[in-house]
Amino acid sequence: VQLVESGGESVQPGGSLRLSCVASGYWSNSNCMAWFRQAPGKEREGVAAIDSDGSTSYADSVKGRFTISQDNAKNTLYLQMNSLKVEDTAMYYCAADRVCGAYWKGFHWVMIGDYLSRGQGTQVTVS
């Protein structure tokens, strides 16, 4: 599975962005997907995840501001980011796996890099 992110750019605090992640290759709608981010000098952080049944989870830091969604017909994952803050500045990555459920939505896999595939990232800068 290959993942390609897009949509990152520089924006002012309070602004909005929508990130996209297109999947290609061997792809199944039973996969689960997620966004995680990493800022310079900081650890990776899970941002939002969507399970194969469509259920979602979010980091506390983005709840109420970010929305994860997917279009299975287009093999595309989205992250709508509203009310952006300076602390949201980071490289954003999408990831996919076949091991879904609580482990995936709890972001336990983020720190150890336990995922099937990851994109190259798209930079979001809020300043």
Side-chain angles (χ1 to χ4, degrees), residues 9-17 82-86 125-127:
E9 60 182 72
S10 294
V11 64
Q12 292 183 343
S16 297
L17 284 176
N82 299 329
S83 302
L84 282 162
K85 303 177 180 180
V86 172
T125 302
V126 186
S127 64

Side-chain angles (χ1 to χ4, degrees), residues 24 44 50 58 66 69 83 99:
S24 61
R44 281 176 285 186
I50 186 163
Y58 297 91
F66 291 10
S69 62
S83 302
V99 179

Side-chain angles (χ1 to χ4, degrees), residues 4-24:
V4 178
E5 305 95 334
S6 63
E9 60 182 72
S10 294
V11 64
Q12 292 183 343
S16 297
L17 284 176
R18 188 176 82 156
L19 306 183
S20 299
C21 171
V22 179
S24 61

Side-chain angles (χ1 to χ4, degrees), residues 35-122:
W35 293 94
F36 68 95
R37 65 189 180 186
Q38 187 164 25
K42 295 186 178 181
E43 296 181 335
R44 281 176 285 186
E45 176 188 21
V47 174
I50 186 163
D51 208 337
S52 54
D53 63 1
S55 59
T56 60
S57 64
Y58 297 91
D60 288 342
S61 58
V62 307
K63 278 181 182 176
R65 300 188 297 122
F66 291 10
T67 302
I68 188 172
S69 62
Q70 63 186 16
D71 183 335
N72 289 331
K74 297 181 180 179
N75 287 352
T76 301
L77 179 73
Y78 301 102
L79 183 68
Q80 178 65 43
M81 305 187 295
N82 299 329
S83 302
L84 282 162
K85 303 177 180 180
V86 172
E87 51 264 43
D88 293 319
T89 296
M91 184 72 79
Y92 284 72
Y93 301 89
C94 69
D97 208 319
R98 300 190 184 103
V99 179
C100 304
Y103 176 74
W104 187 254
K105 292 194 293 183
F107 304 114
H108 304 292
W109 49 274
V110 174
M111 293 301 294
I112 60 175
D114 184 15
Y115 42 76
L116 177 66
S117 184
R118 186 207 78 179
Q120 292 301 306
T122 186

